[in-house]
Amino acid sequence: MEINEELINIKNVIEEELYKLLSDKAGYQELIFESINYSLLDGGKRIRPILLLKSSELFKGNYDNSLPFALAVEMIHTYSLIHDDLPSMDNDDFRRGKPTTHKVYGEAIAILSGDGLLNLAFETMLDYSLRNSKTLDDYQRNMWAAYEIARYSGIFGMIGGQVVDLLSNEINMDINKLIYMYESKTSALIQASVVAGTILGGGDKEDIQRMRKFGLYLGLAYQIRDDILDEEKDKLVNKVTFLSFHDKSKAISVIDELSQKAFDILSYYEDRDVNFLKELVKLLTYRNY
Amino acid sequence: MEINEELINIKNVIEEELYKLLSDKAGYQELIFESINYSLLDGGKRIRPILLLKSSELFKGNYDNSLPFALAVEMIHTYSLIHDDLPSMDNDDFRRGKPTTHKVYGEAIAILSGDGLLNLAFETMLDYSLRNSKTLDDYQRNMWAAYEIARYSGIFGMIGGQVVDLLSNEINMDINKLIYMYESKTSALIQASVVAGTILGGGDKEDIQRMRKFGLYLGLAYQIRDDILDEEKDKLVNKVTFLSFHDKSKAISVIDELSQKAFDILSYYEDRDVNFLKELVKLLTYRNY
């Protein structure tokens, strides 16, 4: 299938670039390069950087200009996983079949690796923007894209969602809070990716507004699909999910609705090649793994 | 004394702005605003933001334009303290006489508060820059200042130094590694502050080069003074410091030398008001508290 081939190609580009970023680095602090590499190259799906690159392409942007930002969202995603897995957070020993970062390098190095990755995301975006912006429009778009990524990643976005997750239990959770948590924890970084891509690609305010919604719908549908896939596992640990409030058929109809809304947004751009993004939405919201 | 009065005034401005940033925030994640406020408003000396503002002023910049960056370096400094204090790092229960963040809010919220502060530093700089840059020069300087802060804070700067600190002990430490660690852990964020201030204030490449060195000398002198002040305490825990390699009179002569180099740089700008910065260097490198 065409999309699968392209998916693999983009994934390879992203992984090569991530690898280049930190390989061959030496110095007294070498261990943190090793630990960051271990976490970054762990076989993730690279959904966020792929969405960023393809959104940028939709508005006629090219990969080269968006790549540093794509790497940045993947670094932010990865740091959030490292910190999530820590003993005082989710206390996970394994991720994708491999021991988690703190299991291999210890808690202190894991915390610093997360900090280092979050910081490196901004270094990467700012360094690139500083060296490659020529016109006022370049500066503005690069700065704006970095800002959107920062905002969606922070205490009003992803980190905020993580706090809500941490403080929630069966007693104090309700469906509104759950949706807020999904919007922050899951949709936010997906929105950051498509919005940053749209800005970098040259989209106008209306395009950005549309893609902001596209990211929201896609993120929510993706998360509710997660709930369906993890139903048995979640029940064992009494985790509150969408299925604590609605049955599975309702969940599926909500996913259908959200995916449809995402498709509707893409149909604004039918004159361009939206096939990949459409297939990606299907792949993510109707996946069975 | 004049400098003391001005010092208190700037400190008040910085603390008011930090307070405004996160007060009155509500939402499901309210606890993280509370925890960040607790950590930010803990009676720190605010050395880094003060250095940033005064460096900017030296090159005719005004406070308003530099303030968001000054707040950002203080946020980065504060997050580094929160994470340093964690059980898996230095395991400190108290800081400046108050229980540390994880003692009050728990480890998970402390980790997320640190992440949130680092992230917020970039949000703050980018948000301001995006809204206030008009000319190419504005964009360039704002982006450059943010980049310098990012670089000095990361795995090639402050976080790198933290890793070295973590991995060092009496057996594997030598004087070169110690100096590298001091440059990264302590000087880096001081350099970030004076360099960002210089860029924002309108300094040229030579000014930036000079202030980069100024920050390096000041940071090292400050850290070696720390070693002298903490000598007894450090001995009790077998901490490797400058005094593990040299006696106290050598340490004092090195501080004198470094301070002199810092003064020499300021003497380039004798036609301007460098009195405050000179007094600040004295205050920091000859302090007895």
Side-chain angles (χ1 to χ4, degrees), chain B residues 6 10 49-58 63 276-277:
Chain B
E6 190 173 352
I10 310 182
I50 291 171
L51 280 168
L52 193 150
L53 293 173
K54 294 306 287 187
S55 304
S56 157
E57 203 184 49
L58 185 62
Y63 275 18
F276 184 95
L277 279 173

Side-chain angles (χ1 to χ4, degrees), chain A residues 29 83 115 119 150 155 180, chain B residues 29 83 115 119 139 150 155 180:
Chain A
Q29 75 272 53
H83 282 188
D115 296 347
N119 200 95
I155 50 177
Y180 176 85
Chain B
Q29 74 272 54
H83 282 189
D115 297 346
N119 199 94
Y139 274 108
I155 51 177
Y180 177 84

Side-chain angles (χ1 to χ4, degrees), chain A residues 28-29 33 79 83 88-89 108 111 115 119 122 129 136 139-140 143 150 153-155 162 166 177 180, chain B residues 28-29 33 79 83 88-89 108 111-112 115 119 122 129 136 139-140 143 150 153-155 162 166 177 180:
Chain A
Y28 295 122
Q29 75 272 53
F33 301 126
Y79 112 78
H83 282 188
S88 62
M89 310 274 264
I111 293 170
D115 296 347
N119 200 95
F122 289 102
S129 302
L136 263 180
Y139 275 109
Q140 212 161 23
M143 205 179 256
S153 303
I155 50 177
Q162 184 61 18
L166 198 72
K177 200 197 260 192
Y180 176 85
Chain B
Y28 295 122
Q29 74 272 54
F33 301 125
Y79 112 78
H83 282 189
S88 63
M89 309 276 264
I111 292 169
L112 291 170
D115 297 346
N119 199 94
F122 290 102
S129 302
L136 263 181
Y139 274 108
Q140 210 161 23
M143 205 179 258
S153 304
I155 51 177
Q162 183 63 18
L166 199 71
K177 200 197 263 194
Y180 177 84

